[in-house]
Each structure stands twice: as structure tokens, then as C-alpha cells.
């Protein structure tokens, strides 16, 4: 691309806060020219759009499981008809699911 004639002008608007964020990122990258930085990002940068529907559905299901588990625990404490080992097993499984969910969301957030 060196030596190419840059004869097409591209123009776009940003807010003051966006301009400041762009300037800071430009400084962090070590590129001194705003034009060079924006050209580099437009040509070689990338945008990531994540679909959070699946994690949201999992979170909803986990909330429901948690509520059911709490109801089981209340029933067990009131009537004594549910074994404590069963409740403990359910709690451990739920804890494992929550931990996996947190790790998944953390990994997704690090992509951005």
C-alpha cells in the first residue's frame, strides 16, 4: 500500500467523549498520526458482536433451579421427607453450573 495515491476522502462524526477515547487508544498504540491510526483500524481492526441470548437463557434457567432448590430445602426442613444428601447433591450440581456460567461469561467479556 505504500506509494498508493490516497485521493478519496472519508469523513465521519464522533462525540467529544468518543474522540477522546480514540485519541487515547491512538496514543497507546504508539501511532502519532490520527489519519494513520484510523486508516490502520479501518483496514486491520475488527469489531466483535456477541450474542448474549444463550447466556441469558442459561442464567434464567439457573435462577429457576435455584428457586426450586430453595423450595426443596424448605420442604425438607418442614416435613423431613427429603433426604439431606439429595439436597446437598442438588446444591453441588447447581454450584458447578453457576461456576461454569461465570467462567463462560468472563471468557466472553475478555474478548471485548
Amino acid at each position: 500500500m505504500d506509494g498508493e495515491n490516497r485521493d478519496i476522502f472519508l469523513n465521519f462524526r464522533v462525540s467529544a467523549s468518543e474522540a477522546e477515547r480514540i485519541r487515547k487508544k491512538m496514543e497507546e498504540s504508539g501511532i502519532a498520526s490520527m489519519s494513520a491510526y484510523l486508516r490502520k483500524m479501518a483496514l486491520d481492526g475488527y469489531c466483535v458482536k456477541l450474542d448474549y441470548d444463550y447466556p441469558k437463557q442459561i442464567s434464567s434457567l439457573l435462577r429457576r433451579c435455584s428457586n426450586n432448590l430453595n423450595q426443596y430445602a424448605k420442604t425438607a426442613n418442614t416435613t423431613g421427607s427429603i433426604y439431606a444428601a439429595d439436597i446437598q447433591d442438588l446444591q453441588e450440581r447447581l454450584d458447578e453450573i453457576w461456576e461454569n456460567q461465570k467462567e463462560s461469561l468472563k471468557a466472553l467479556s475478555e474478548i471485548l
Side-chain angles (χ1 to χ4, degrees), residues 43-91:
L43 294 171
D44 299 330
Y46 61 92
C47 295
V48 176
K49 183 177 186 300
L50 300 175
D51 181 6
Y52 287 104
D53 287 340
Y54 181 69
K56 286 179 183 178
Q57 289 173 350
I58 291 174
S59 293
S60 175
L61 291 171
L62 288 170
R63 253 189 306 283
R64 290 182 207 161
C65 288
S66 293
N67 291 340
N68 288 344
L69 182 59
N70 286 336
Q71 290 174 355
Y72 294 149
K74 286 180 185 178
T75 300
N77 289 332
T78 304
T79 66
S81 63
I82 298 175
Y83 293 106
D86 292 338
I87 296 296
Q88 181 64 32
D89 181 54
L90 288 172
Q91 183 65 53

Side-chain angles (χ1 to χ4, degrees), residues 4-18:
E4 269 191 66
N5 210 11
R6 292 190 176 113
D7 57 351
I8 297 177
F9 180 76
L10 297 178
N11 187 12
F12 62 98
R13 295 181 181 272
V14 295
S15 68
S17 63
E18 290 170 332

